[in-house]
Amino acid sequence: MPIFDTCIITASGEKQARVFRSLIARRVERGLYPREIDFRVYPDPPAGRVGSGGGTVWALTCLLREEGLAAGRGGLGGSPDGALRGGRAPGGRAPGGA
């Protein structure tokens, strides 16, 4: 029994994402990775590299959108790259700021 349902992997671009998907598929076929886990690989947005934190936000937003779970107003819905443009965190603080 797997300890989680989905494994999200981020990549710096589509080329790297294709390589990761290929490696994962081979490892699943050989029984090295469990078939029950849904592996998802998301490259950084088309606008360019966003770093590990931005890539994580992008990947989670894409997953929510694919699953039909993206929230409307006030959630992660809308434009996922909007969260990567230096917006403000709740309370008016800059992301990661004090």
Side-chain angles (χ1 to χ4, degrees):
M1 177 174 170
I3 58 173
F4 49 88
D5 298 323
T6 304
C7 177
I8 299 172
I9 301 165
T10 60
S12 63
E14 186 56 46
K15 181 178 178 180
Q16 186 180 52
R18 281 193 304 271
V19 170
F20 287 170
R21 288 181 191 113
S22 174
L23 289 170
I24 292 165
R26 280 188 267 155
R27 291 174 181 174
V28 169
E29 288 172 11
R30 293 180 180 152
L32 298 172
Y33 292 168
R35 292 184 184 279
E36 300 83 19
I37 295 177
D38 179 17
F39 290 93
R40 309 261 185 123
V41 180
Y42 298 102
D44 281 352
R49 296 184 67 179
V50 293
S52 61
T56 300
V57 170
W58 177 260
L60 290 172
T61 303
C62 291
L63 175 68
L64 290 172
R65 190 178 276 168
E66 287 175 5
E67 295 298 318
L69 301 173
R73 303 175 74 170
L76 290 174
S79 173
D81 60 340
L84 306 176
R85 292 192 196 129
R88 294 291 197 191
R93 297 182 318 272

